[in-house]
Amino acid sequence: MKALLKTIGSILRNPRIWIVLAVWAGTLLFVLFQGGKTSLMLLAMISILVIYLIAVGLGGIRHAHGERNLSADVQEEALRAGDQVKVSLKFAVPGFLPMPYVIIREVMKRHNGETWSFEESVIPDLRGSGELMFRTPPLERGRYFFTETECVSEDIFGFIEHKGTFHVPGQFRVFPRMVSIPGWKIIDKNSRLAGPQRAAASRRETTQINGVRDYVYGDRISRIHWNATAKTGSWKSKEFEYDSIPKIMIILDAISAHYSSDKQFELAVSTAASLINYASRERLCIGLATVGERFKMFAPSENYNDRQRIMHHLVDVAADGFGDLQPKLAKSGRFIPSGCLFVLISPQSGSKTMELLRWADTRGYTPSHILVNSSGNDAKEGWISMLKVRGTFSCSVADLRDLPTALGGGMP
C-alpha cells in the first residue's frame, strides 16, 4: 500500500499529468452543460488517455527485473589488470502496455570509489523483454561490483517519463598484472646457498632418480618406471631426489611516501604477484608481508589455498603506510621464519634500506632487494653494484617485462 501511494505521488508530481487532467475535467464540464456526440467522443478519448497514463505509471517499468551475465574469465577468476569484461544484462518489463524504448543505466564501482556508468537505449520486444550488452574499459587491479540498475521509459505519446530500478548482485576481482618467470637465479638448484636457510628448507624434485615407489593416481606417464612395472606386475613410479630450496618471504613496501606515482606502486605489486605465480608453478614455499598502514603477513606455504589468499590480498592492497620500514618490521616481523630468503620489493635505496638489509642479515635471513625503478633512471645502478659487491642479490626493474631477465632467468 505504501509503495502504491508513493507511485501515485510521483505520477501526480509531474506537471504534464495535471495538464491532461485539467483538459479532461474541462471536457467533462463541457459535456455536462452542452452535451453533443462530438463532446462525448472527445471525453471518451481523453478518458482513455488518462487511464492509459495512470496504468503506465502504476505498472510496467517500476516492476522491471533482470539478470546479469559476465564473461567466463570472471567466473574462473582469471582476470588480470588490463583485461576487459563482457557484460550481458537481460531485463523484462511486466505488463502488456507498449513502450517505445527503455534507457538502461548500469553503474560499476571499484573498491577505492572509482565509478563507471554505462547507458544505452534498448527497444523491448512485444513481451517487454530486451538485452543490453557492453564491454568495460580495460580494468586495473581491484574489486568491482554493480550497483542498482536504473530503467527509464516514456509513454507512447511522450507525455510522462517513468523510472524504475532493480538490483542484480554482481561482483568480481581483477588480479595484478603478471609476467611468466622462467627461472630465478638465487634459488636455482645450481646456486650454492650457504647459511642457516638450509635448515628451514622446503623440497623440490630434481631429475636424479632415487628409487621406485608404488604408482599414485595422477602420476605423469613419463614418471612410470616401465622395467619395475614389468618385473612386479603392478604399476611403479620413479622416485626422485629432492633439492633443498629455502623458504621465501616477500616483503612488499606499501609506504606511500616511497612511491612517486600509482604506476610505480602497481609495478611493485605486479612484481610480487609474478613471484608468487612463479613459486606456485615451481612448488616453492613462499609467503608475503605487506608493510603499509597495517602489517599483514602470510606465512610461507606450499598450499594452493594459502597462495590464493595472498593473491586475493594483492587485489586491493594500497600504498597507505607512513614512516620507515625497519621499525615496522622489527615490531611486527618477529613471526617471519628464521633462515628464510628475505626478498624486499621497494623503490627505496640508501642508508635506511641498507640498515633494513643488515637487520635482516642479523636475524638469520638471506636478504635481497628488487628495486622498483619505474622512471628507468640509471642513477640506481650504483646501489645495485654496491649490494652485489656485498654478496646481496639485487636488481632494478623499470618495466614488468624486464623482470624475468633481471632475476637471471632469461626471457619468458
Side-chain angles (χ1 to χ4, degrees), residues 50 85 185 228 239 306 324 368:
V50 170
V85 176
K185 185 177 180 180
E239 184 72 62
D306 291 336
D324 296 324
S368 62

Side-chain angles (χ1 to χ4, degrees), residues 83-390:
D83 290 345
Q84 296 176 288
V85 176
K86 294 179 182 178
V87 182
S88 171
L89 179 70
K90 296 180 179 179
F91 67 91
V93 180
F96 57 89
L97 297 175
M99 289 179 295
Y101 65 90
V102 176
I103 296 176
I104 303 294
R105 296 192 183 110
E106 281 267 67
V107 177
M108 183 179 71
K109 288 189 176 182
R110 194 180 175 201
H111 69 275
N112 63 353
E114 291 183 59
T115 302
W116 290 263
S117 181
F118 308 93
E119 180 177 316
E120 190 170 332
S121 177
V122 180
I123 299 176
D125 58 24
L126 295 176
R127 293 175 295 179
S129 301
E131 182 177 9
L132 170 65
M133 300 183 68
F134 63 92
R135 185 191 295 266
T136 68
L139 301 174
E140 292 301 319
R141 168 184 66 90
R143 287 181 288 107
Y144 295 82
F145 62 94
F146 288 93
T147 61
E148 284 190 335
T149 301
E150 185 179 86
C151 305
V152 180
S153 183
E154 291 182 344
D155 56 81
I156 58 176
F157 302 104
F159 283 138
I160 302 175
E161 185 182 80
H162 304 281
K163 295 182 180 180
T165 59
F166 61 88
H167 181 59
V168 181
Q171 55 186 2
F172 57 91
R173 294 185 179 94
V174 177
F175 290 95
R177 287 180 176 85
M178 287 179 274
V179 66
S180 178
I181 301 174
W184 194 355
K185 185 177 180 180
I186 57 175
I187 59 171
D188 187 83
K189 66 178 182 180
N190 295 322
S191 297
R192 295 292 179 261
L193 298 175
Q197 66 269 22
R198 287 287 186 177
S202 60
R203 287 153 54 85
R204 183 174 65 172
E205 288 182 345
T206 66
T207 56
Q208 184 67 36
I209 298 177
N210 190 36
V212 178
R213 61 167 174 78
D214 291 334
Y215 173 82
V216 176
Y217 179 77
D219 283 347
R220 298 187 299 270
I221 294 178
S222 60
R223 188 165 188 147
I224 296 175
H225 198 298
W226 297 105
N227 290 338
T229 299
K231 289 179 181 179
T232 61
S234 58
W235 290 100
K236 298 293 181 181
S237 295
K238 302 170 187 175
E239 184 72 62
F240 295 96
E241 290 184 353
Y242 285 88
D243 185 26
S244 291
I245 301 295
K247 291 182 178 180
I248 306 166
M249 196 68 192
I250 296 175
I251 310 299
L252 178 60
D253 181 354
I255 304 298
S256 177
H258 293 175
Y259 293 91
S260 59
S261 64
D262 292 339
K263 182 179 178 181
Q264 190 178 27
F265 181 67
E266 289 303 317
L267 177 59
V269 174
S270 294
T271 299
S274 298
L275 294 177
I276 298 295
N277 189 49
Y278 168 77
S280 178
R281 189 180 73 243
E282 297 295 324
R283 299 180 182 178
L284 302 177
C285 190
I286 193 167
L288 173 75
T290 55
V291 188
E293 183 179 7
R294 295 182 179 180
F295 180 86
K296 181 69 175 180
M297 176 181 157
F298 300 86
S301 172
E302 297 179 40
N303 185 273
Y304 172 80
N305 292 329
D306 291 336
R307 287 195 295 268
Q308 284 299 103
R309 279 191 282 271
I310 294 176
M311 294 302 294
H312 288 168
H313 171 68
L314 289 176
V315 165
D316 51 10
V317 66
D320 55 5
F322 53 88
D324 296 324
L325 285 172
Q326 199 273 332
K328 292 177 179 289
L329 280 169
K331 179 181 178 181
S332 305
R334 60 185 180 276
F335 298 110
I336 298 176
S338 178
C340 70
L341 182 62
F342 184 96
V343 183
L344 173 65
I345 300 177
S346 172
Q348 280 281 291
S349 60
S351 59
K352 290 185 177 180
T353 303
M354 181 61 73
E355 183 181 349
L356 173 60
L357 296 176
R358 286 173 179 166
W359 172 84
D361 193 33
T362 59
R363 293 291 299 267
Y365 310 137
T366 302
S368 62
H369 183 203
I370 298 178
L371 181 68
V372 181
N373 186 22
S374 64
S375 63
N377 191 349
D378 295 333
K380 302 290 186 179
E381 291 304 318
W383 168 258
I384 303 298
S385 301
M386 181 182 67
L387 290 182
K388 288 182 178 179
V389 169
R390 292 173 53 88

Side-chain angles (χ1 to χ4, degrees), residues 390-407:
R390 292 173 53 88
T392 300
F393 175 83
S394 181
C395 64
S396 177
V397 178
D399 190 284
L400 187 62
R401 292 171 294 184
D402 300 333
L403 181 62
T405 303
L407 295 178

